[in-house]
Structures are given as structure tokens and as C-alpha cells.
Amino acid sequence: AVLLPLWKGSYERSDDFDPLSSPAAVQREHVVRWVTELRSSVDYLQSRDDIDPDRIAYQGISYGAMWTPVFMAQEPRLKTGLVIVGGFLPFEMAPDPMPPEIDPLNHAPRATAPVLMLNGRHDPIFIYETSQLPLYRNLGTADADKRHVTFPAGHSTSSWRDELIRESLDWLDRYLGEP
């Protein structure tokens, strides 16, 4: 099963929030709300008889992947996470200094569930040396339970779509059990 929450400020729930230009207070408000929405989403999944409450994963892509440490640290019912074309937000892209209470860097050591990172090695947004590796290294996940795979690509999965699917399904089978 797949659940796709539409976070406050996104898609039909747009409220003029711009992740790269909104002030710090607005960023904080949204991230706090997203954590609440994530928890409500997990509550919903756990209320269903057709969902195994011990087999819930989080997958974030790009901007959603950037928040994986916050979500994984704040929602312990997530058993594993998939970070796809993500990393720490480059400082030069942040509108203000990020409030420490929502900064993924401060949450990463508290994110201890298994995490698979899949990135383009030449991503111009989440740069390998300054964004991807720092996230990977700062995760509180045991070394045996985290993996970072890169592909000769940029900020797109189009050239490694098949590998993304294979790696993701293998990871989910490993940590959630085969269907």
C-alpha cells in the first residue's frame, strides 16, 4: 500500500509557502505541521486491519528527502526510510538560518532506523561532498543498517529508474519483510 500525504503548503494545499524564500518562522510552522500530519498518517495506517503496523516506511524525494531525518527522528513507528535525490539543504539555498529545532542536521543523529540513500553523484542541488555525505554520516543509524548508493547522474532518477526500483524493493524486503 502507498499513502501519499499532501503536506500543508503543497499541491492543493498551497498557501503561498515557498521552501526557498519563506522566512524561518514560516518554515518552522510548516515543518511542525508536517510532523503532525505524518503522525496522523501513521495513526490512520495503524487503524486499518489490512496494514501491518510494524511495516511502515517513509520515502522522500528531493525536498521531501531533505526532511527525512526530522521525520524519522520524530516518528519512531517508521521502520525504515528511503532518501531519493536528497541530502542536507545547501546553506546558500536557505533563506534564513534554519531554526535549530527543525534543522535536519540536529535531528539526523536521532534518526536511528535503517535508511537507504539513492542519489545522483553529480547532483547540483544536493552536492555529493557537501550535502549527501554529511547527511549520510550524521544519521544515527548503525553503519550496518544504512546504505548510500550513487549513480552517474544529476538531480533526476530518469537514467537509473530501474536501479532505483530494484534497490528500493530489495531494501524494503530486507527491513520490512517480503510480501
Side-chain angles (χ1 to χ4, degrees):
V2 174
L3 173 70
L4 179 63
L6 297 180
W7 307 121
K8 174 183 172 63
S10 67
Y11 300 101
E12 300 90 54
R13 298 185 64 205
S14 179
D15 59 1
D16 296 323
F17 172 69
D18 183 335
L20 300 179
S21 65
S22 293
V26 175
Q27 288 264 359
R28 180 185 309 107
E29 171 195 341
H30 279 76
V31 173
V32 168
R33 181 59 186 245
W34 297 338
V35 169
T36 300
E37 292 173 357
L38 173 65
R39 288 178 177 154
S40 295
S41 297
V42 174
D43 288 344
Y44 168 73
L45 289 173
Q46 290 191 327
S47 75
R48 296 181 55 96
D49 293 336
D50 58 342
I51 301 293
D52 185 339
D54 294 321
R55 297 177 67 193
I56 299 174
Y58 174 79
Q59 175 183 295
I61 300 172
S62 190
Y63 189 71
M66 186 189 91
W67 296 105
T68 302
V70 176
F71 295 159
M72 298 295 292
Q74 294 297 319
E75 181 46 84
R77 295 175 293 176
L78 297 173
K79 301 305 180 190
T80 189
L82 303 173
V83 174
I84 300 172
V85 295
F88 286 140
L89 181 66
F91 293 112
E92 62 274 8
M93 293 182 75
D96 291 323
M98 189 168 295
E101 63 272 20
I102 64 166
D103 191 335
L105 176 64
N106 295 330
H107 288 266
R110 293 165 182 80
T112 58
V115 173
L116 172 65
M117 289 182 63
L118 301 170
N119 291 91
R121 179 65 171 81
H122 310 291
D123 190 328
I125 298 170
F126 296 107
I127 298 168
Y128 180 77
E129 295 85 3
T130 59
S131 179
Q132 296 175 33
L133 286 180
L135 172 56
Y136 182 76
R137 290 177 179 152
N138 279 281
L139 288 169
T141 305
D143 287 344
D145 294 323
K146 63 182 177 179
R147 184 163 183 237
H148 184 205
V149 181
T150 61
F151 300 91
H155 192 72
S156 170
T157 63
S158 61
S159 64
W160 46 278
R161 183 179 153 269
D162 292 344
E163 292 88 346
L164 170 118
I165 293 168
R166 186 186 74 252
E167 291 280 350
S168 298
L169 291 176
D170 288 349
W171 186 264
L172 294 172
D173 286 348
R174 177 178 175 189
Y175 286 98
L176 300 181
E178 293 187 26

